[in-house]
PDB file of all heavy atoms in Angstrom:
ATOM      1  N   PRO W  14      64.842  63.780 -60.489  1.00  0.00           N
ATOM      2  CA  PRO W  14      65.569  63.602 -59.234  1.00  0.00           C
ATOM      3  C   PRO W  14      66.832  62.754 -59.408  1.00  0.00           C
ATOM      4  O   PRO W  14      67.772  62.881 -58.622  1.00  0.00           O
ATOM      5  CB  PRO W  14      64.554  62.913 -58.323  1.00  0.00           C
ATOM      6  CG  PRO W  14      63.612  62.226 -59.246  1.00  0.00           C
ATOM      7  CD  PRO W  14      63.559  63.074 -60.483  1.00  0.00           C
ATOM      8  N   ILE W  15      66.875  61.927 -60.452  1.00  0.00           N
ATOM      9  CA  ILE W  15      68.052  61.078 -60.677  1.00  0.00           C
ATOM     10  C   ILE W  15      69.260  61.941 -61.040  1.00  0.00           C
ATOM     11  O   ILE W  15      70.364  61.735 -60.530  1.00  0.00           O
ATOM     12  CB  ILE W  15      67.784  60.020 -61.779  1.00  0.00           C
ATOM     13  CG1 ILE W  15      66.595  59.133 -61.387  1.00  0.00           C
ATOM     14  CG2 ILE W  15      69.036  59.196 -62.050  1.00  0.00           C
ATOM     15  CD1 ILE W  15      66.763  58.344 -60.109  1.00  0.00           C
ATOM     16  N   ALA W  16      69.073  62.929 -61.916  1.00  0.00           N
ATOM     17  CA  ALA W  16      70.179  63.827 -62.270  1.00  0.00           C
ATOM     18  C   ALA W  16      70.660  64.594 -61.036  1.00  0.00           C
ATOM     19  O   ALA W  16      71.871  64.778 -60.838  1.00  0.00           O
ATOM     20  CB  ALA W  16      69.746  64.792 -63.374  1.00  0.00           C
ATOM     21  N   ALA W  17      69.725  65.024 -60.197  1.00  0.00           N
ATOM     22  CA  ALA W  17      70.095  65.733 -58.963  1.00  0.00           C
ATOM     23  C   ALA W  17      70.926  64.815 -58.065  1.00  0.00           C
ATOM     24  O   ALA W  17      71.937  65.236 -57.495  1.00  0.00           O
ATOM     25  CB  ALA W  17      68.846  66.215 -58.241  1.00  0.00           C
ATOM     26  N   MET W  18      70.511  63.556 -57.951  1.00  0.00           N
ATOM     27  CA  MET W  18      71.242  62.605 -57.123  1.00  0.00           C
ATOM     28  C   MET W  18      72.622  62.302 -57.717  1.00  0.00           C
ATOM     29  O   MET W  18      73.621  62.235 -56.994  1.00  0.00           O
ATOM     30  CB  MET W  18      70.427  61.318 -56.952  1.00  0.00           C
ATOM     31  CG  MET W  18      71.087  60.294 -56.061  1.00  0.00           C
ATOM     32  SD  MET W  18      71.414  60.874 -54.379  1.00  0.00           S
ATOM     33  CE  MET W  18      69.944  60.326 -53.560  1.00  0.00           C
ATOM     34  N   GLU W  19      72.698  62.141 -59.021  1.00  0.00           N
ATOM     35  CA  GLU W  19      73.993  61.888 -59.668  1.00  0.00           C
ATOM     36  C   GLU W  19      74.967  63.035 -59.408  1.00  0.00           C
ATOM     37  O   GLU W  19      76.136  62.801 -59.088  1.00  0.00           O
ATOM     38  CB  GLU W  19      73.812  61.683 -61.171  1.00  0.00           C
ATOM     39  CG  GLU W  19      73.240  60.341 -61.531  1.00  0.00           C
ATOM     40  CD  GLU W  19      72.956  60.189 -63.020  1.00  0.00           C
ATOM     41  OE1 GLU W  19      73.004  61.192 -63.775  1.00  0.00           O
ATOM     42  OE2 GLU W  19      72.686  59.058 -63.439  1.00  0.00           O
ATOM     43  N   ASN W  20      74.517  64.269 -59.566  1.00  0.00           N
ATOM     44  CA  ASN W  20      75.382  65.417 -59.309  1.00  0.00           C
ATOM     45  C   ASN W  20      75.842  65.449 -57.854  1.00  0.00           C
ATOM     46  O   ASN W  20      76.979  65.800 -57.554  1.00  0.00           O
ATOM     47  CB  ASN W  20      74.673  66.732 -59.652  1.00  0.00           C
ATOM     48  CG  ASN W  20      74.670  67.001 -61.133  1.00  0.00           C
ATOM     49  OD1 ASN W  20      75.571  66.607 -61.862  1.00  0.00           O
ATOM     50  ND2 ASN W  20      73.639  67.673 -61.595  1.00  0.00           N
ATOM     51  N   TRP W  21      74.972  65.077 -56.973  1.00  0.00           N
ATOM     52  CA  TRP W  21      75.279  65.082 -55.546  1.00  0.00           C
ATOM     53  C   TRP W  21      76.314  64.014 -55.209  1.00  0.00           C
ATOM     54  O   TRP W  21      77.323  64.281 -54.559  1.00  0.00           O
ATOM     55  CB  TRP W  21      73.994  64.857 -54.781  1.00  0.00           C
ATOM     56  CG  TRP W  21      74.009  65.209 -53.335  1.00  0.00           C
ATOM     57  CD1 TRP W  21      75.014  65.819 -52.617  1.00  0.00           C
ATOM     58  CD2 TRP W  21      72.946  64.990 -52.409  1.00  0.00           C
ATOM     59  NE1 TRP W  21      74.630  65.991 -51.322  1.00  0.00           N
ATOM     60  CE2 TRP W  21      73.362  65.490 -51.161  1.00  0.00           C
ATOM     61  CE3 TRP W  21      71.684  64.437 -52.520  1.00  0.00           C
ATOM     62  CZ2 TRP W  21      72.562  65.442 -50.029  1.00  0.00           C
ATOM     63  CZ3 TRP W  21      70.883  64.391 -51.399  1.00  0.00           C
ATOM     64  CH2 TRP W  21      71.317  64.880 -50.165  1.00  0.00           C
ATOM     65  N   VAL W  22      76.075  62.802 -55.674  1.00  0.00           N
ATOM     66  CA  VAL W  22      76.951  61.683 -55.337  1.00  0.00           C
ATOM     67  C   VAL W  22      78.263  61.739 -56.123  1.00  0.00           C
ATOM     68  O   VAL W  22      79.338  61.572 -55.554  1.00  0.00           O
ATOM     69  CB  VAL W  22      76.227  60.334 -55.586  1.00  0.00           C
ATOM     70  CG1 VAL W  22      77.180  59.155 -55.457  1.00  0.00           C
ATOM     71  CG2 VAL W  22      75.053  60.183 -54.628  1.00  0.00           C
ATOM     72  N   GLU W  23      78.184  61.996 -57.408  1.00  0.00           N
ATOM     73  CA  GLU W  23      79.373  61.923 -58.257  1.00  0.00           C
ATOM     74  C   GLU W  23      80.201  63.202 -58.280  1.00  0.00           C
ATOM     75  O   GLU W  23      81.413  63.150 -58.465  1.00  0.00           O
ATOM     76  CB  GLU W  23      78.969  61.534 -59.681  1.00  0.00           C
ATOM     77  CG  GLU W  23      78.357  60.141 -59.737  1.00  0.00           C
ATOM     78  CD  GLU W  23      77.796  59.769 -61.100  1.00  0.00           C
ATOM     79  OE1 GLU W  23      78.008  60.535 -62.070  1.00  0.00           O
ATOM     80  OE2 GLU W  23      77.160  58.714 -61.185  1.00  0.00           O
ATOM     81  N   LYS W  24      79.561  64.355 -58.105  1.00  0.00           N
ATOM     82  CA  LYS W  24      80.281  65.630 -58.182  1.00  0.00           C
ATOM     83  C   LYS W  24      80.300  66.393 -56.862  1.00  0.00           C
ATOM     84  O   LYS W  24      80.923  67.448 -56.766  1.00  0.00           O
ATOM     85  CB  LYS W  24      79.659  66.515 -59.268  1.00  0.00           C
ATOM     86  CG  LYS W  24      79.720  65.901 -60.650  1.00  0.00           C
ATOM     87  CD  LYS W  24      79.002  66.765 -61.662  1.00  0.00           C
ATOM     88  CE  LYS W  24      78.987  66.070 -63.023  1.00  0.00           C
ATOM     89  NZ  LYS W  24      78.133  66.770 -63.973  1.00  0.00           N
ATOM     90  N   GLY W  25      79.590  65.887 -55.864  1.00  0.00           N
ATOM     91  CA  GLY W  25      79.553  66.548 -54.568  1.00  0.00           C
ATOM     92  C   GLY W  25      78.709  67.809 -54.536  1.00  0.00           C
ATOM     93  O   GLY W  25      78.842  68.630 -53.633  1.00  0.00           O
ATOM     94  N   ILE W  26      77.815  67.986 -55.519  1.00  0.00           N
ATOM     95  CA  ILE W  26      76.969  69.182 -55.589  1.00  0.00           C
ATOM     96  C   ILE W  26      75.574  68.829 -55.084  1.00  0.00           C
ATOM     97  O   ILE W  26      74.775  68.216 -55.795  1.00  0.00           O
ATOM     98  CB  ILE W  26      76.902  69.719 -57.044  1.00  0.00           C
ATOM     99  CG1 ILE W  26      78.294  70.021 -57.568  1.00  0.00           C
ATOM    100  CG2 ILE W  26      76.006  70.948 -57.099  1.00  0.00           C
ATOM    101  CD1 ILE W  26      78.348  70.299 -59.065  1.00  0.00           C
ATOM    102  N   ALA W  27      75.297  69.222 -53.844  1.00  0.00           N
ATOM    103  CA  ALA W  27      73.983  68.948 -53.251  1.00  0.00           C
ATOM    104  C   ALA W  27      72.925  69.793 -53.957  1.00  0.00           C
ATOM    105  O   ALA W  27      73.171  70.963 -54.259  1.00  0.00           O
ATOM    106  CB  ALA W  27      73.995  69.259 -51.762  1.00  0.00           C
ATOM    107  N   PRO W  28      71.766  69.218 -54.238  1.00  0.00           N
ATOM    108  CA  PRO W  28      70.728  69.987 -54.931  1.00  0.00           C
ATOM    109  C   PRO W  28      70.187  71.132 -54.082  1.00  0.00           C
ATOM    110  O   PRO W  28      69.741  70.919 -52.957  1.00  0.00           O
ATOM    111  CB  PRO W  28      69.647  68.947 -55.227  1.00  0.00           C
ATOM    112  CG  PRO W  28      69.880  67.848 -54.254  1.00  0.00           C
ATOM    113  CD  PRO W  28      71.335  67.859 -53.915  1.00  0.00           C
ATOM    114  N   GLN W  29      70.284  72.346 -54.607  1.00  0.00           N
ATOM    115  CA  GLN W  29      69.721  73.520 -53.949  1.00  0.00           C
ATOM    116  C   GLN W  29      68.305  73.775 -54.448  1.00  0.00           C
ATOM    117  O   GLN W  29      67.488  74.335 -53.738  1.00  0.00           O
ATOM    118  CB  GLN W  29      70.606  74.743 -54.193  1.00  0.00           C
ATOM    119  CG  GLN W  29      72.020  74.560 -53.686  1.00  0.00           C
ATOM    120  CD  GLN W  29      72.071  74.181 -52.214  1.00  0.00           C
ATOM    121  OE1 GLN W  29      71.405  74.805 -51.390  1.00  0.00           O
ATOM    122  NE2 GLN W  29      72.826  73.144 -51.888  1.00  0.00           N
ATOM    123  N   THR W  30      68.057  73.396 -55.687  1.00  0.00           N
ATOM    124  CA  THR W  30      66.718  73.410 -56.288  1.00  0.00           C
ATOM    125  C   THR W  30      66.694  72.304 -57.331  1.00  0.00           C
ATOM    126  O   THR W  30      67.741  71.835 -57.784  1.00  0.00           O
ATOM    127  CB  THR W  30      66.363  74.751 -56.991  1.00  0.00           C
ATOM    128  OG1 THR W  30      67.281  74.961 -58.061  1.00  0.00           O
ATOM    129  CG2 THR W  30      66.396  75.918 -56.024  1.00  0.00           C
ATOM    130  N   ILE W  31      65.506  71.910 -57.714  1.00  0.00           N
ATOM    131  CA  ILE W  31      65.315  71.010 -58.851  1.00  0.00           C
ATOM    132  C   ILE W  31      64.270  71.674 -59.734  1.00  0.00           C
ATOM    133  O   ILE W  31      63.179  72.017 -59.266  1.00  0.00           O
ATOM    134  CB  ILE W  31      64.827  69.607 -58.409  1.00  0.00           C
ATOM    135  CG1 ILE W  31      65.869  68.925 -57.508  1.00  0.00           C
ATOM    136  CG2 ILE W  31      64.529  68.742 -59.633  1.00  0.00           C
ATOM    137  CD1 ILE W  31      65.413  67.585 -56.936  1.00  0.00           C
ATOM    138  N   ARG W  32      64.609  71.863 -60.989  1.00  0.00           N
ATOM    139  CA  ARG W  32      63.660  72.491 -61.911  1.00  0.00           C
ATOM    140  C   ARG W  32      62.575  71.481 -62.264  1.00  0.00           C
ATOM    141  O   ARG W  32      62.855  70.344 -62.621  1.00  0.00           O
ATOM    142  CB  ARG W  32      64.364  72.960 -63.183  1.00  0.00           C
ATOM    143  CG  ARG W  32      63.462  73.756 -64.086  1.00  0.00           C
ATOM    144  CD  ARG W  32      64.238  74.247 -65.327  1.00  0.00           C
ATOM    145  NE  ARG W  32      63.447  75.143 -66.122  1.00  0.00           N
ATOM    146  CZ  ARG W  32      62.462  74.772 -66.941  1.00  0.00           C
ATOM    147  NH1 ARG W  32      62.149  73.504 -67.053  1.00  0.00           N
ATOM    148  NH2 ARG W  32      61.792  75.658 -67.640  1.00  0.00           N
ATOM    149  N   ALA W  33      61.328  71.912 -62.141  1.00  0.00           N
ATOM    150  CA  ALA W  33      60.182  71.055 -62.444  1.00  0.00           C
ATOM    151  C   ALA W  33      59.259  71.805 -63.388  1.00  0.00           C
ATOM    152  O   ALA W  33      59.243  73.037 -63.414  1.00  0.00           O
ATOM    153  CB  ALA W  33      59.445  70.687 -61.163  1.00  0.00           C
ATOM    154  N   GLU W  34      58.499  71.050 -64.144  1.00  0.00           N
ATOM    155  CA  GLU W  34      57.558  71.702 -65.054  1.00  0.00           C
ATOM    156  C   GLU W  34      56.280  70.898 -65.187  1.00  0.00           C
ATOM    157  O   GLU W  34      56.220  69.736 -64.824  1.00  0.00           O
ATOM    158  CB  GLU W  34      58.195  71.950 -66.418  1.00  0.00           C
ATOM    159  CG  GLU W  34      58.711  70.724 -67.122  1.00  0.00           C
ATOM    160  CD  GLU W  34      59.509  71.068 -68.378  1.00  0.00           C
ATOM    161  OE1 GLU W  34      59.287  72.129 -68.988  1.00  0.00           O
ATOM    162  OE2 GLU W  34      60.359  70.264 -68.750  1.00  0.00           O
ATOM    163  N   ASN W  35      55.290  71.585 -65.688  1.00  0.00           N
ATOM    164  CA  ASN W  35      54.036  70.948 -66.066  1.00  0.00           C
ATOM    165  C   ASN W  35      53.853  71.296 -67.532  1.00  0.00           C
ATOM    166  O   ASN W  35      53.440  72.409 -67.867  1.00  0.00           O
ATOM    167  CB  ASN W  35      52.865  71.462 -65.214  1.00  0.00           C
ATOM    168  CG  ASN W  35      51.584  70.716 -65.491  1.00  0.00           C
ATOM    169  OD1 ASN W  35      51.249  70.450 -66.645  1.00  0.00           O
ATOM    170  ND2 ASN W  35      50.850  70.391 -64.440  1.00  0.00           N
ATOM    171  N   LYS W  36      54.234  70.362 -68.388  1.00  0.00           N
ATOM    172  CA  LYS W  36      54.200  70.622 -69.831  1.00  0.00           C
ATOM    173  C   LYS W  36      52.783  70.829 -70.338  1.00  0.00           C
ATOM    174  O   LYS W  36      52.561  71.640 -71.232  1.00  0.00           O
ATOM    175  CB  LYS W  36      54.888  69.477 -70.578  1.00  0.00           C
ATOM    176  CG  LYS W  36      56.371  69.443 -70.306  1.00  0.00           C
ATOM    177  CD  LYS W  36      57.049  68.285 -71.000  1.00  0.00           C
ATOM    178  CE  LYS W  36      58.521  68.275 -70.628  1.00  0.00           C
ATOM    179  NZ  LYS W  36      59.210  67.128 -71.181  1.00  0.00           N
ATOM    180  N   GLU W  37      51.824  70.121 -69.769  1.00  0.00           N
ATOM    181  CA  GLU W  37      50.430  70.262 -70.212  1.00  0.00           C
ATOM    182  C   GLU W  37      49.887  71.661 -69.930  1.00  0.00           C
ATOM    183  O   GLU W  37      49.148  72.220 -70.727  1.00  0.00           O
ATOM    184  CB  GLU W  37      49.544  69.222 -69.534  1.00  0.00           C
ATOM    185  CG  GLU W  37      49.829  67.805 -69.988  1.00  0.00           C
ATOM    186  CD  GLU W  37      49.039  66.779 -69.198  1.00  0.00           C
ATOM    187  OE1 GLU W  37      48.145  67.155 -68.410  1.00  0.00           O
ATOM    188  OE2 GLU W  37      49.321  65.581 -69.379  1.00  0.00           O
ATOM    189  N   LEU W  38      50.252  72.224 -68.787  1.00  0.00           N
ATOM    190  CA  LEU W  38      49.763  73.553 -68.415  1.00  0.00           C
ATOM    191  C   LEU W  38      50.752  74.665 -68.770  1.00  0.00           C
ATOM    192  O   LEU W  38      50.448  75.841 -68.597  1.00  0.00           O
ATOM    193  CB  LEU W  38      49.425  73.592 -66.921  1.00  0.00           C
ATOM    194  CG  LEU W  38      48.309  72.631 -66.489  1.00  0.00           C
ATOM    195  CD1 LEU W  38      48.093  72.700 -64.978  1.00  0.00           C
ATOM    196  CD2 LEU W  38      47.004  72.918 -67.228  1.00  0.00           C
ATOM    197  N   GLY W  39      51.944  74.289 -69.227  1.00  0.00           N
ATOM    198  CA  GLY W  39      52.906  75.259 -69.744  1.00  0.00           C
ATOM    199  C   GLY W  39      53.577  76.147 -68.715  1.00  0.00           C
ATOM    200  O   GLY W  39      53.693  77.356 -68.922  1.00  0.00           O
ATOM    201  N   PHE W  40      54.047  75.576 -67.612  1.00  0.00           N
ATOM    202  CA  PHE W  40      54.797  76.385 -66.653  1.00  0.00           C
ATOM    203  C   PHE W  40      55.891  75.551 -65.990  1.00  0.00           C
ATOM    204  O   PHE W  40      55.879  74.329 -66.045  1.00  0.00           O
ATOM    205  CB  PHE W  40      53.872  77.001 -65.593  1.00  0.00           C
ATOM    206  CG  PHE W  40      53.296  76.024 -64.611  1.00  0.00           C
ATOM    207  CD1 PHE W  40      53.970  75.717 -63.442  1.00  0.00           C
ATOM    208  CD2 PHE W  40      52.071  75.424 -64.844  1.00  0.00           C
ATOM    209  CE1 PHE W  40      53.439  74.819 -62.528  1.00  0.00           C
ATOM    210  CE2 PHE W  40      51.526  74.535 -63.940  1.00  0.00           C
ATOM    211  CZ  PHE W  40      52.213  74.229 -62.775  1.00  0.00           C
ATOM    212  N   SER W  41      56.835  76.250 -65.380  1.00  0.00           N
ATOM    213  CA  SER W  41      57.903  75.601 -64.625  1.00  0.00           C
ATOM    214  C   SER W  41      58.053  76.283 -63.271  1.00  0.00           C
ATOM    215  O   SER W  41      57.629  77.432 -63.094  1.00  0.00           O
ATOM    216  CB  SER W  41      59.223  75.651 -65.402  1.00  0.00           C
ATOM    217  OG  SER W  41      59.630  76.987 -65.610  1.00  0.00           O
ATOM    218  N   ARG W  42      58.623  75.553 -62.344  1.00  0.00           N
ATOM    219  CA  ARG W  42      58.854  76.055 -60.996  1.00  0.00           C
ATOM    220  C   ARG W  42      60.132  75.421 -60.463  1.00  0.00           C
ATOM    221  O   ARG W  42      60.444  74.279 -60.798  1.00  0.00           O
ATOM    222  CB  ARG W  42      57.733  75.664 -60.026  1.00  0.00           C
ATOM    223  CG  ARG W  42      56.401  76.272 -60.267  1.00  0.00           C
ATOM    224  CD  ARG W  42      56.363  77.747 -59.865  1.00  0.00           C
ATOM    225  NE  ARG W  42      55.031  78.295 -60.010  1.00  0.00           N
ATOM    226  CZ  ARG W  42      54.529  78.770 -61.143  1.00  0.00           C
ATOM    227  NH1 ARG W  42      55.250  78.755 -62.244  1.00  0.00           N
ATOM    228  NH2 ARG W  42      53.319  79.268 -61.190  1.00  0.00           N
ATOM    229  N   PRO W  43      60.812  76.122 -59.562  1.00  0.00           N
ATOM    230  CA  PRO W  43      61.892  75.441 -58.850  1.00  0.00           C
ATOM    231  C   PRO W  43      61.296  74.664 -57.678  1.00  0.00           C
ATOM    232  O   PRO W  43      60.394  75.156 -56.999  1.00  0.00           O
ATOM    233  CB  PRO W  43      62.756  76.599 -58.340  1.00  0.00           C
ATOM    234  CG  PRO W  43      61.799  77.733 -58.168  1.00  0.00           C
ATOM    235  CD  PRO W  43      60.741  77.543 -59.235  1.00  0.00           C
ATOM    236  N   LEU W  44      61.751  73.457 -57.472  1.00  0.00           N
ATOM    237  CA  LEU W  44      61.431  72.734 -56.256  1.00  0.00           C
ATOM    238  C   LEU W  44      62.526  73.104 -55.270  1.00  0.00           C
ATOM    239  O   LEU W  44      63.708  73.080 -55.606  1.00  0.00           O
ATOM    240  CB  LEU W  44      61.403  71.226 -56.491  1.00  0.00           C
ATOM    241  CG  LEU W  44      60.404  70.725 -57.533  1.00  0.00           C
ATOM    242  CD1 LEU W  44      60.498  69.209 -57.652  1.00  0.00           C
ATOM    243  CD2 LEU W  44      58.993  71.172 -57.199  1.00  0.00           C
ATOM    244  N   CYS W  45      62.151  73.471 -54.072  1.00  0.00           N
ATOM    245  CA  CYS W  45      63.089  73.955 -53.066  1.00  0.00           C
ATOM    246  C   CYS W  45      63.241  72.921 -51.958  1.00  0.00           C
ATOM    247  O   CYS W  45      62.285  72.231 -51.620  1.00  0.00           O
ATOM    248  CB  CYS W  45      62.581  75.262 -52.464  1.00  0.00           C
ATOM    249  SG  CYS W  45      62.244  76.548 -53.694  1.00  0.00           S
ATOM    250  N   PRO W  46      64.432  72.835 -51.363  1.00  0.00           N
ATOM    251  CA  PRO W  46      64.592  71.908 -50.242  1.00  0.00           C
ATOM    252  C   PRO W  46      63.703  72.327 -49.076  1.00  0.00           C
ATOM    253  O   PRO W  46      63.662  73.503 -48.716  1.00  0.00           O
ATOM    254  CB  PRO W  46      66.058  72.016 -49.861  1.00  0.00           C
ATOM    255  CG  PRO W  46      66.718  72.814 -50.910  1.00  0.00           C
ATOM    256  CD  PRO W  46      65.663  73.548 -51.665  1.00  0.00           C
ATOM    257  N   TYR W  47      62.981  71.362 -48.522  1.00  0.00           N
ATOM    258  CA  TYR W  47      62.125  71.614 -47.377  1.00  0.00           C
ATOM    259  C   TYR W  47      62.976  72.144 -46.226  1.00  0.00           C
ATOM    260  O   TYR W  47      64.089  71.649 -46.013  1.00  0.00           O
ATOM    261  CB  TYR W  47      61.422  70.309 -46.968  1.00  0.00           C
ATOM    262  CG  TYR W  47      60.488  70.476 -45.811  1.00  0.00           C
ATOM    263  CD1 TYR W  47      59.207  70.935 -46.009  1.00  0.00           C
ATOM    264  CD2 TYR W  47      60.906  70.198 -44.513  1.00  0.00           C
ATOM    265  CE1 TYR W  47      58.335  71.102 -44.944  1.00  0.00           C
ATOM    266  CE2 TYR W  47      60.047  70.365 -43.447  1.00  0.00           C
ATOM    267  CZ  TYR W  47      58.773  70.818 -43.670  1.00  0.00           C
ATOM    268  OH  TYR W  47      57.914  70.991 -42.621  1.00  0.00           O
ATOM    269  N   PRO W  48      62.538  73.170 -45.512  1.00  0.00           N
ATOM    270  CA  PRO W  48      61.222  73.780 -45.480  1.00  0.00           C
ATOM    271  C   PRO W  48      61.072  74.997 -46.394  1.00  0.00           C
ATOM    272  O   PRO W  48      60.151  75.791 -46.207  1.00  0.00           O
ATOM    273  CB  PRO W  48      61.077  74.175 -44.005  1.00  0.00           C
ATOM    274  CG  PRO W  48      62.462  74.559 -43.609  1.00  0.00           C
ATOM    275  CD  PRO W  48      63.356  73.613 -44.374  1.00  0.00           C
ATOM    276  N   MET W  49      61.947  75.147 -47.361  1.00  0.00           N
ATOM    277  CA  MET W  49      61.839  76.265 -48.295  1.00  0.00           C
ATOM    278  C   MET W  49      60.722  75.989 -49.301  1.00  0.00           C
ATOM    279  O   MET W  49      60.387  74.838 -49.574  1.00  0.00           O
ATOM    280  CB  MET W  49      63.153  76.463 -49.041  1.00  0.00           C
ATOM    281  CG  MET W  49      64.368  76.601 -48.136  1.00  0.00           C
ATOM    282  SD  MET W  49      64.442  78.176 -47.326  1.00  0.00           S
ATOM    283  CE  MET W  49      65.284  79.117 -48.542  1.00  0.00           C
ATOM    284  N   VAL W  50      60.159  77.076 -49.848  1.00  0.00           N
ATOM    285  CA  VAL W  50      59.131  76.989 -50.883  1.00  0.00           C
ATOM    286  C   VAL W  50      59.440  78.018 -51.967  1.00  0.00           C
ATOM    287  O   VAL W  50      60.123  79.011 -51.714  1.00  0.00           O
ATOM    288  CB  VAL W  50      57.706  77.230 -50.324  1.00  0.00           C
ATOM    289  CG1 VAL W  50      57.306  76.128 -49.357  1.00  0.00           C
ATOM    290  CG2 VAL W  50      57.590  78.589 -49.671  1.00  0.00           C
ATOM    291  N   ALA W  51      58.951  77.773 -53.166  1.00  0.00           N
ATOM    292  CA  ALA W  51      59.146  78.710 -54.271  1.00  0.00           C
ATOM    293  C   ALA W  51      58.179  79.876 -54.135  1.00  0.00           C
ATOM    294  O   ALA W  51      56.987  79.685 -53.887  1.00  0.00           O
ATOM    295  CB  ALA W  51      58.931  77.995 -55.601  1.00  0.00           C
ATOM    296  N   LYS W  52      58.707  81.075 -54.300  1.00  0.00           N
ATOM    297  CA  LYS W  52      57.876  82.272 -54.236  1.00  0.00           C
ATOM    298  C   LYS W  52      58.192  83.141 -55.454  1.00  0.00           C
ATOM    299  O   LYS W  52      59.361  83.391 -55.769  1.00  0.00           O
ATOM    300  CB  LYS W  52      58.162  83.056 -52.952  1.00  0.00           C
ATOM    301  CG  LYS W  52      57.309  84.303 -52.817  1.00  0.00           C
ATOM    302  CD  LYS W  52      57.599  85.029 -51.523  1.00  0.00           C
ATOM    303  CE  LYS W  52      56.730  86.276 -51.432  1.00  0.00           C
ATOM    304  NZ  LYS W  52      57.070  87.085 -50.261  1.00  0.00           N
ATOM    305  N   TYR W  53      57.136  83.605 -56.106  1.00  0.00           N
ATOM    306  CA  TYR W  53      57.275  84.464 -57.274  1.00  0.00           C
ATOM    307  C   TYR W  53      57.944  85.768 -56.855  1.00  0.00           C
ATOM    308  O   TYR W  53      57.571  86.387 -55.856  1.00  0.00           O
ATOM    309  CB  TYR W  53      55.899  84.716 -57.890  1.00  0.00           C
ATOM    310  CG  TYR W  53      55.884  85.620 -59.088  1.00  0.00           C
ATOM    311  CD1 TYR W  53      56.664  85.351 -60.205  1.00  0.00           C
ATOM    312  CD2 TYR W  53      55.073  86.747 -59.108  1.00  0.00           C
ATOM    313  CE1 TYR W  53      56.639  86.181 -61.313  1.00  0.00           C
ATOM    314  CE2 TYR W  53      55.036  87.588 -60.209  1.00  0.00           C
ATOM    315  CZ  TYR W  53      55.830  87.298 -61.312  1.00  0.00           C
ATOM    316  OH  TYR W  53      55.804  88.134 -62.403  1.00  0.00           O
ATOM    317  N   THR W  54      58.928  86.215 -57.641  1.00  0.00           N
ATOM    318  CA  THR W  54      59.660  87.446 -57.316  1.00  0.00           C
ATOM    319  C   THR W  54      58.860  88.700 -57.617  1.00  0.00           C
ATOM    320  O   THR W  54      59.212  89.780 -57.174  1.00  0.00           O
ATOM    321  CB  THR W  54      60.974  87.525 -58.108  1.00  0.00           C
ATOM    322  OG1 THR W  54      60.673  87.566 -59.506  1.00  0.00           O
ATOM    323  CG2 THR W  54      61.899  86.354 -57.783  1.00  0.00           C
TER     324      THR W  54
END
């Protein structure tokens, strides 16, 4: 979230998603701004 905040404050790019992962279980997902949710295509 710090990189997302830096881009927002320093470059004016509001986060549309934040990439998240679970390294132990081996997957990634986009975190979406509420009330949006990630849905598999």
Side-chain angles (χ1 to χ4, degrees):
I15 301 299
M18 182 59 93
E19 285 175 349
N20 281 330
W21 197 6
V22 171
E23 296 173 8
K24 299 176 184 171
I26 303 169
Q29 301 305 312
T30 62
I31 298 175
R32 187 178 187 283
E34 58 188 334
N35 186 317
K36 292 178 183 176
E37 292 174 9
L38 298 177
F40 71 89
S41 62
R42 293 286 184 276
L44 301 180
C45 305
Y47 181 83
M49 307 286 273
V50 295
K52 181 179 180 186
Y53 178 55
T54 62

